[in-house]
């Protein structure tokens, strides 16, 4: 069963087509990631899925409801965590949860009954009476996630859930999101962090300039799209070495700043030429999702 299906979605703002016929499905119980450079169309796609933006064409089904026609009913079944905290600073932590539940038509008593479990989920049990301004960035984000669960959603949408957080806070949030999916629920998230995708996502779609350029599990994408080994080479004589020795033996070389990223299926010939060139430093590693991302979307800066 699919929690979300998107078929040939198109959306323009003025003359600029920002979503150009994107299609994908998200299975129930799956954690699905949308990756893409800034301006790729991720947020617009999500906003269309939630019925906040009307598509020009295409078909969307969310929680078995047609969007935008049944968007209100669908939104009652989903949770949304925006990138920027929009907690109400006039209320305490617990009151924020209660007020949010009231938006979903829950009675005050029902909302209050949910608070201990939501606080526990977020690791904020001790903070129920705290004012919002006393919370750290990680606590606020956990509270946003807890708040999004107030209506017991089938699908949770998260826009960059860990941007701006320290490693401890990110790990805690990943742990919470994993436990949400382990309960059979579905997550759709956008992120710029490849480690987040590799830890959390069953499948990922890479979007660039409004089009879908790849969709698969992170591991399958790495195997299919890219050579298995990367050797990063630095040093004053790197440009000469690349032209004379690197290019003839590497499958592909990309230069960014003072580093040559040499992609190889068999690293041995390249390592031998490096042994003979003392002035260079080299680090060998396995190819990862970031390599795939940069190959498919390029190294140029976006807006
Ligand atoms: P992403 O989330 O991948 O960074 P967005 O979906 O936010 O990308 O934006 C895609 C493109 O659409 C960008 O060029 C952005 O400037 C443009 N855009 C987004 N929202 C609007 C809007 N409401 N009006 C006009 N242009 C918009």
């Amino acid at each position: 069963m699919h929690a979300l299906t998107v078929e040939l979605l198109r959306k323009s703002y003025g003359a600029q087509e920002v979503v150009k016929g994107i299609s994908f499905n998200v299975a129930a119980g799956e954690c699905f990631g949308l990756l893409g450079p800034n301006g790729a169309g991720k947020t617009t796609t999500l906003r269309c899925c939630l019925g906040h933006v009307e598509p020009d064409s295409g078909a969307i089904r969310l929680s078995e409801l047609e969007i935008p026609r049944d968007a209100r009913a669908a939104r009652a079944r989903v949770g949304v965590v925006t990138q920027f905290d929009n907690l109400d600073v006039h209320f305490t932590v617990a009151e924020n949860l209660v007020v949010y539940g009231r938006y979903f038509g829950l009675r005050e008593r029902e909302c209050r009954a949910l608070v201990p479990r939501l606080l526990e989920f977020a690791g904020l049990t001790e903070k129920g009476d705290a004012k919002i301004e006393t919370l750290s960035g990680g606590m606020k984000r956990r509270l946003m996630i807890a708040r999004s669960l107030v209506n017991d959603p089938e699908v949770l949408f998260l826009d960059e859930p860990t941007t701006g957080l320290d490693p401890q806070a990110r790990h805690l949030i990943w742990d919470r999101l994993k436990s949400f999916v382990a309960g059979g629920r579905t997550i759709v998230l956008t992120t710029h962090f490849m480690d987040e995708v590799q830890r959390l996502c069953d499948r990922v779609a890479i979007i660039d300039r409004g089009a879908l350029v790849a969709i698969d599990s992170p591991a399958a994408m790495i195997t299919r799209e890219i050579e298995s080994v990367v050797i990063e080479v630095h040093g004053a004589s790197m440009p000469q070495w690349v032209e004379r020795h690197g290019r003839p033996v590497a499958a592909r070389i990309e230069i960014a700043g003072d580093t040559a990223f040499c992609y190889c299926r068999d690293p041995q010939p390249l390592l031998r030429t490096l042994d003979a060139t003392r002035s260079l430093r080299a680090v060998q590693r396995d190819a990862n999702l970031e390599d795939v991302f940069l190959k498919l979307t390029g190294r140029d800066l976006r807006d």
Side-chain angles (χ1 to χ4, degrees):
M1 200 186 78
H2 290 137
L4 173 67
T5 63
V6 174
E7 263 176 66
L8 295 172
L9 179 69
R10 289 184 180 274
K11 176 69 190 173
S12 294
Y13 287 112
Q16 190 195 6
E17 191 172 32
V18 300
V19 180
K20 301 175 181 166
I22 286 181
S23 303
F24 60 88
N25 297 321
V26 180
E30 185 170 51
C31 181
F32 186 83
L34 283 176
L35 269 179
N38 286 332
K42 304 178 296 293
T43 306
T44 305
T45 301
L46 285 195
R47 288 177 64 76
C48 289
C49 292
L50 290 165
H52 293 310
V53 164
E54 183 140 1
D56 297 333
S57 63
I60 300 170
R61 285 185 77 76
L62 171 59
S63 257
E64 306 193 323
L65 292 167
E66 198 179 304
I67 307 295
R69 193 192 66 194
D70 300 328
R72 273 180 78 88
R75 283 200 296 266
R77 297 187 190 176
V78 307
V80 179
V81 181
T82 53
Q83 191 185 335
F84 298 102
D85 301 330
N86 54 3
L87 299 163
D88 194 325
V89 295
H90 300 103
F91 294 127
T92 65
V93 166
E95 284 164 354
N96 263 274
L97 297 172
V98 171
V99 168
Y100 203 71
R102 301 281 289 143
Y103 290 141
F104 285 95
L106 299 180
R107 289 168 209 276
E108 174 139 0
R109 198 156 29 85
E110 291 175 294
C111 297
R112 294 213 176 275
L114 290 172
V115 166
R117 193 173 54 79
L118 292 173
L119 289 180
E120 192 194 340
F121 180 86
L124 294 171
T125 298
E126 310 296 311
K127 295 282 178 186
D129 295 327
K131 286 277 184 207
I132 298 303
E133 68 250 26
T134 67
L135 302 183
S136 67
M139 288 175 180
K140 284 182 189 164
R141 202 65 60 87
R142 268 144 51 208
L143 179 57
M144 291 278 290
I145 294 172
R147 194 182 67 166
S148 73
L149 303 181
V150 83
N151 59 328
D152 195 20
E154 293 160 12
V155 187
L156 189 54
F157 289 85
L158 302 115
D159 198 4
E160 300 191 26
T162 67
T163 295
L165 301 185
D166 65 26
Q168 288 82 355
R170 299 180 75 206
H171 279 275
L172 203 58
I173 285 177
W174 290 336
D175 180 61
R176 300 294 74 203
L177 295 180
K178 277 186 192 161
S179 81
F180 178 77
V181 172
R185 308 302 173 96
T186 308
I187 287 181
V188 180
L189 62 85
T190 74
T191 182
H192 287 299
F193 299 119
M194 310 296 152
D195 56 339
E196 185 155 281
V197 171
Q198 286 190 288
R199 271 163 204 279
L200 282 183
C201 295
D202 300 300
R203 283 190 314 137
V204 57
I206 298 182
I207 296 180
D208 193 21
R209 300 178 207 280
L212 200 141
V213 293
I215 182 165
D216 214 328
S217 68
M221 211 181 260
I222 294 166
T223 307
R224 190 184 59 242
E225 297 287 347
I226 206 151
E227 302 77 13
S228 53
V229 179
V230 187
I231 300 172
E232 297 185 11
V233 181
H234 322 251
S237 60
M238 181 272 281
Q240 296 80 2
W241 171 84
V242 164
E243 294 316 319
R244 202 165 306 151
H245 303 289
R247 293 217 190 271
V249 292
R252 203 160 52 80
I253 296 184
E254 288 179 18
I255 296 176
D258 63 354
T259 305
F261 293 83
C262 307
Y263 294 90
C264 310
R265 284 179 201 88
D266 170 11
Q268 292 312 322
L270 196 116
L271 292 173
R272 280 196 289 274
T273 86
L274 283 169
D275 284 344
T277 318
R278 291 257 174 80
S279 62
L280 292 174
R281 279 170 294 126
V283 179
Q284 178 179 337
R285 61 175 174 80
D286 291 339
N288 59 35
L289 197 61
E290 184 153 317
D291 297 305
V292 174
F293 182 82
L294 290 168
K295 180 182 174 198
L296 297 180
T297 64
R299 288 182 185 266
D300 301 339
L301 278 182
R302 304 297 171 85
D303 54 30

